[in-house]
Amino acid sequence: MSLKEKDDMDHEGWMKRKDLTPVESTFLVALIWMDKRLRIVDYLELLENLYYKVNMQMPKSHTEQYDLDNKFWYWYPLYALGSFSTLAYIVAAVSGALLGFYYAPAQTGDPSTAYNSITFIMTDLQFGFMLRSIHRWSAQVMVAAVFLHMLRVYFTGAYKEPRELNWLLGIVLISLTMVFGYTGYLLPWDQLAFWAGQIGVEMSLSIPLAGEWVAQLLFGGFTLGPATLQRMYILHVFLLPFVVTSLIAIHIGIVWVQGIAEPH
Amino acid sequence: MSDTNTNTDTDTDTDTDGTEARTDGSGGPGIVAPDDETPSWRERKERTTGLSRLTYEYFERARREDQDLRTESDYVERDVLAFPTWPHETVRNLSIAAFFTGMIFFLSATMPPHIGSPANPSSTPAIILPDWYLYWSFGLLKLGPLNPELAILGGEKITADRTYGVLANVVVVGFVAIVPFLNKGSARRPVEQPFWSAVGVGGIVFAFTISLLAVKNLMPMDVDLLFDLTFLLPIVATTVTYAVLKTMREGYMYDLNRRYYRLRPPK
Ligand code: HEM
């Protein structure tokens, strides 16, 4: 018996016998190379298993089950509102990331750096005016779409068993969407932003028991200042994007598994 | 569920020799070859106690329930009625995605936003407003006149008006959140559930009127009248919706029921 390691599965010979196209053989070489190191075939198998589990359990639609001719229900166009929210969210995310290249939440100077960076975007930056406009409008459209989506779900009774959890998740999402809008509203640090912020501080201060703590946490104090703007900025561009993106993914994942509620 | 099932739950020493369908993946080749001493998967499960034990037991029951449903029913798959998300919904949505995005761009190009004067803590503007979608919440802060005064406290209010407003927000959102736990059953269409549809319409109208109350200093209207209308209009809308749906219901339900029983004739 030789000490030389023997390749009992002769993958290369197998590939030779197969008479592969260049694309196929490149793919296989890469796959085998990765698999030797990371054992990815196991993980692919897990994924495959998951895919079939989800899809085999996929509900059968009423119309398929009873072999009905597919009746058109006049509410169906409204079933696109959820995806419309997602789409507006994506547009807002992309335009927001671009705006973020030019915006600074600093409050030095008079008017503040924050305010100045917005006027810079609007007047000097190529395409900046449009960029801000797109960000604004996609945010507004998203909120509107989410409201309407919620109404659609309400009036088609789509929140009933087994979809209660998705409804609750939706409540969290719509609240966070509005917080998203609110924090963004403060960022230009113009008069409207400042006084809307003032109302926010007063509202949090008037929460029973936890008021002062909440004001301190969210607004960085009991009066508005540089800390407020900094916190709104971090909420708006760091915390909320992570949280809301994950929640939307879970929300849609649940819809995927449960199927779209049908009118019976 | 059937008796066989309860047997497997309670009687741990019965056969492991595979006369029953196994749902736990045992029986296949293990990664480490078992010798005589190695407990099988099933034995290990049966030795667990407490919560993990309960979990395994429920797991088996659920699997078996699915299995029974499959063999018993005429349905090919589980008896869940819904549209598959893929491809039914997704294809439609993807096909209008570009249109939606175009609409956002069109709005942005035609109605760009402007920016006000820079923040100035020493001059309070006459009109302070959040974005439109927060008007309802802003309006709820202005419910001061409804804040009950207690006679024992000498006409003093229990909570400050502003706290009261914040609580009103919590109540409204809380109510919307628990709707699925209040309205159960299989009704979906508005005509099938006139009451809840009427509540919904009332809610929408209230969202509008309370938003108008939030901008009361911009409304060309007597503020007291506006305040009264804020609560009257939703009630009117609720009543009207209820009456209309109730009237429509009879004819509509006749059709629905006829279809339903044609599909699933009573046994
Ligand atoms: C960020 C906000 C949201 C996004 C991106 C979103 C996305 C979606 C999408 C894409 C669907 C698939 C069906 C459809 O498009 O109508 C859906 C379904 C659903 N959504 Fe949302 N949604 C959001 C907010 C909400 C809110 C506020 C609620 C309710 C309080 C809600 C409750 C539901 C429920 C119960 C379903 C299942 C409906 C069915 O099966 O017919 N969602 N959501």
Side-chain angles (χ1 to χ4, degrees):
Chain A
M1 206 160 82
S2 86
L3 283 176
K4 191 165 169 283
E5 193 183 347
K6 207 168 162 222
D7 194 1
D8 49 354
M9 282 304 267
D10 179 14
H11 296 307
E12 262 168 46
W14 170 68
M15 280 177 62
K16 284 223 179 65
R17 288 198 301 281
K18 294 277 289 184
D19 184 24
L20 300 165
T21 65
V23 176
E24 286 168 338
S25 52
T26 316
F27 170 77
L28 269 185
V29 168
L31 182 69
I32 292 170
W33 195 88
M34 292 293 280
D35 188 49
K36 283 250 169 70
R37 284 148 187 89
L38 301 174
R39 216 65 195 101
I40 51 174
V41 172
D42 286 351
Y43 297 99
L44 285 180
E45 199 177 330
L46 275 179
L47 280 183
E48 190 195 18
N49 200 349
L50 206 66
Y51 176 83
Y52 281 110
K53 284 249 167 66
V54 166
N55 279 279
M56 295 317 282
Q57 308 251 335
M58 198 80 119
K60 221 165 161 47
S61 108
H62 217 206
T63 41
E64 279 175 290
Q65 207 147 75
Y66 297 108
D67 201 18
L68 297 178
D69 49 337
N70 205 341
K71 282 206 185 281
F72 183 78
W73 197 36
Y74 47 87
W75 289 74
Y76 284 150
L78 301 180
Y79 284 47
L81 282 165
S83 338
F84 194 12
S85 320
T86 318
L87 209 67
Y89 181 66
I90 294 171
V91 174
V94 172
S95 57
L98 293 177
L99 281 177
F101 293 158
Y102 304 99
Y103 173 84
Q107 277 206 357
T108 43
D110 183 36
S112 57
T113 309
Y115 186 85
N116 284 337
S117 54
I118 300 284
T119 44
F120 166 77
I121 288 171
M122 289 174 68
T123 54
D124 292 337
L125 181 66
Q126 285 286 343
F127 203 63
F129 200 57
M130 181 67 178
L131 197 59
R132 177 162 185 245
S133 187
I134 290 175
H135 192 64
R136 256 297 167 99
W137 273 107
S138 52
Q140 312 265 330
V141 162
M142 177 178 171
V143 179
V146 172
F147 265 111
L148 294 175
H149 169 61
M150 183 168 110
L151 293 184
R152 182 303 265 175
V153 170
Y154 182 88
F155 283 105
T156 56
Y159 50 79
K160 293 182 175 179
E161 193 196 323
R163 301 186 176 79
E164 298 97 327
L165 286 179
N166 230 6
W167 173 268
L168 290 178
L169 189 51
I171 299 289
V172 174
L173 271 175
I174 197 173
S175 314
L176 289 182
T177 309
M178 288 188 286
V179 176
F180 230 133
Y182 178 78
T183 52
Y185 194 67
L186 296 199
L187 293 185
W189 211 243
D190 55 355
Q191 275 288 67
L192 276 178
F194 184 85
W195 292 97
Q198 194 66 39
I199 293 174
V201 174
E202 286 169 21
M203 273 179 75
S204 3
L205 279 176
S206 62
I207 297 173
L209 302 180
E212 302 200 340
W213 187 79
V214 172
Q216 190 78 52
L217 183 69
L218 290 181
F219 294 92
F222 302 152
T223 52
L224 297 190
T228 316
L229 189 56
Q230 190 74 38
R231 285 182 191 214
M232 290 299 131
Y233 181 68
I234 291 300
L235 283 177
H236 192 79
V237 306
F238 181 74
L239 201 64
L240 286 172
F242 273 111
V243 174
V244 171
T245 308
S246 333
L247 289 185
I248 289 180
I250 297 174
H251 186 75
I252 295 178
I254 293 179
V255 172
W256 191 280
V257 174
Q258 295 186 329
I260 306 285
E262 223 181 336
H264 332 275
Chain B
M1 291 302 304
S2 58
D3 307 352
T4 46
N5 201 23
T6 16
N7 277 343
T8 48
D9 286 345
T10 48
D11 197 356
T12 52
D13 305 351
T14 45
D15 56 345
T16 41
D17 58 2
T19 45
E20 292 177 347
R22 281 190 181 164
T23 50
D24 62 354
S26 63
I31 293 176
V32 178
D35 53 32
D36 290 346
E37 308 290 298
T38 320
S40 70
W41 260 113
R42 192 187 194 101
E43 282 162 356
R44 281 188 216 181
K45 286 182 188 176
E46 276 157 1
R47 280 185 211 160
T48 56
T49 52
L51 295 184
S52 46
R53 174 67 204 241
L54 288 176
T55 310
Y56 285 131
E57 280 176 15
Y58 170 71
F59 189 75
E60 297 234 319
R61 293 179 65 86
R63 281 297 184 82
R64 201 166 302 271
E65 191 181 1
D66 273 7
Q67 189 63 37
D68 286 359
L69 259 181
R70 274 193 206 106
T71 45
E72 265 171 32
S73 69
D74 324 325
Y75 302 149
V76 183
E77 272 304 325
R78 283 207 296 178
D79 187 15
V80 174
L81 301 182
F83 284 126
T85 308
W86 172 267
H88 294 54
E89 290 290 302
T90 318
V91 165
R92 189 242 351 249
N93 291 343
L94 286 179
S95 65
I96 46 184
F99 174 77
F100 277 158
T101 321
M103 202 192 85
I104 295 175
F105 286 178
F106 179 76
L107 286 170
S108 321
T110 48
M111 287 175 278
H114 292 275
I115 187 168
S117 43
N120 181 358
S122 53
S123 96
T124 315
I127 300 162
I128 304 177
L129 279 180
D131 253 344
W132 57 269
Y133 47 79
L134 286 174
Y135 283 6
W136 61 272
S137 165
F138 202 50
L140 287 174
L141 296 180
K142 304 197 173 174
L143 292 183
L146 290 186
N147 195 349
E149 296 169 12
L150 274 199
I152 358 169
L153 295 178
E156 252 182 71
K157 298 185 171 182
I158 324 176
T159 54
D161 277 352
R162 208 188 301 277
T163 311
Y164 186 75
V166 172
L167 286 180
N169 273 281
V170 175
V171 169
V172 167
V173 177
F175 175 73
V176 179
I178 60 172
V179 162
F181 305 97
L182 299 178
N183 179 20
K184 299 181 173 236
S186 62
R188 289 238 195 266
R189 301 170 193 243
V191 271
E192 289 176 283
Q193 33 183 356
F195 174 75
W196 283 96
S197 309
V199 169
V201 171
I204 297 177
V205 174
F206 182 63
F208 274 105
T209 53
I210 195 83
S211 301
L212 289 182
L213 185 67
V215 291
K216 60 185 172 190
N217 41 5
L218 297 182
M219 293 287 292
M221 201 176 181
D222 180 42
V223 172
D224 289 328
L225 178 62
L226 181 62
F227 194 85
D228 294 340
L229 281 183
T230 301
F231 299 96
L232 280 181
L233 285 183
I235 294 175
V236 172
T238 309
T239 320
V240 171
T241 315
Y242 186 75
V244 169
L245 289 179
K246 204 70 176 164
T247 318
M248 284 169 66
R249 184 181 162 125
E250 206 170 311
Y252 197 93
M253 289 309 284
Y254 175 75
D255 268 359
L256 272 186
N257 283 338
R258 205 174 48 171
R259 257 200 12 235
Y260 187 81
Y261 285 117
R262 226 181 14 226
L263 300 172
R264 281 184 254 196
K267 280 185 186 152

